[in-house]
Amino acid sequence: DQQVKQNSPSLSVQEGRISILNCDYTNSMFDYFLWYKKYPAEGPTFLISISSIKDKNEDGRFTVFLNKSAKHLSLHIVPSQPGDSAVYFCAASGSGYSTLTFGKGTMLLVSP
Amino acid sequence: DAGVIQSPRHEVTEMGQEVTLRCKPISGHDYLFWYRQTMMRGLELLIYFNNNVPIDDSGMPEDRFSAKMPNASFSTLKIQPSEPRDSAVYFCASSLRTSGNREQFFGPGTRLTVL
């Protein structure tokens, strides 16, 4: 049973436009969420995170939104750049310090 | 900092052989995680250690898999005997409990192919 779901395996966006990656979770005990970015032949790298006490966190071109009632979060990239082309993983963590549960990832392709 | 170091980067072996994957976490980190990534199952946690002690190995698929952390700077994941279905990318990650943001730092991974 997948506790963290990324229902879109892939997303194509034109350079300069907004990319929106979505993630849903089922476990109401999750209270911290992270996005990771992964290039081929590399390990995932941390991008941005959000605590459940917030509904938005912004870092440069990246913004994560959290809707706790819907158990949904999204990552917005504005403007999208070709270098953003990668696989994006959503991850969730329970209360306190614990392990991360990952979604299966969404491959983003930003075309010039 | 050198980041998390994994070796080898690629491993090709034949079914039935023993495979040992190695990981050096970031110095000072107190948690170490082993993950496996496959197309079907995505990124799944196999086992994790806190201060060199295994905390949860419920993700280890079978008794053929074992992991050790003899000291704070080294961990191994061993598969014996290996099978074709073990083919995957194996990642090691480390983190620091007091960092607050629960971020885990990943190594580059080991791509394992079992023929």
Side-chain angles (χ1 to χ4, degrees), chain B residues 34-106:
Chain B
W34 281 102
Y35 290 89
R36 178 172 68 176
Q37 184 187 20
T38 60
M39 289 296 293
M40 289 296 294
R41 301 176 67 88
L43 199 59
E44 53 179 341
L45 177 67
L46 301 177
I47 185 173
Y48 77 98
F49 296 82
N50 177 221
N51 292 323
N52 313 337
V53 176
I55 303 301
D56 185 353
D57 66 353
S58 59
M60 297 284 260
E62 298 172 35
D63 291 345
R64 299 184 295 105
F65 286 70
S66 62
K68 294 182 179 179
M69 192 166 186
N71 57 63
S73 59
F74 184 66
S75 177
T76 59
L77 178 67
K78 185 178 292 186
I79 308 172
Q80 166 64 18
S82 58
E83 296 183 3
R85 59 192 167 127
D86 302 332
S87 297
V89 181
Y90 291 80
F91 290 102
C92 175
S94 69
S95 68
L96 182 61
R97 171 66 176 93
T98 57
S99 70
N101 66 5
R102 309 189 201 179
E103 177 186 353
Q104 295 179 14
F105 294 80
F106 282 77

Side-chain angles (χ1 to χ4, degrees), chain A residues 31-32 34 36 38 41-46 49 87 89 93-104, chain B residues 9 31 33 35 37 39-43 45 48 91 95-97 100-109:
Chain A
D31 68 348
Y32 199 88
L34 306 89
Y36 278 78
K38 184 184 179 304
E42 295 183 10
T45 56
F46 171 75
S49 63
V87 177
F89 290 96
S93 173
S95 60
Y97 190 90
S98 68
T99 57
L100 299 180
T101 301
F102 284 84
K104 290 191 175 182
Chain B
R9 292 295 310 276
Y31 280 83
F33 306 84
Y35 290 89
Q37 184 187 20
M39 289 296 293
M40 289 296 294
R41 301 176 67 88
L43 199 59
L45 177 67
Y48 77 98
F91 290 102
S95 68
L96 182 61
R97 171 66 176 93
N101 66 5
R102 309 189 201 179
E103 177 186 353
Q104 295 179 14
F105 294 80
F106 282 77

Side-chain angles (χ1 to χ4, degrees), chain A residues 16-32:
Chain A
R17 301 288 194 113
I18 184 171
S19 294
I20 300 176
L21 296 97
N22 294 302
C23 178
D24 297 295
Y25 62 96
T26 57
N27 191 337
S28 58
M29 298 302 291
F30 288 146
D31 68 348
Y32 199 88

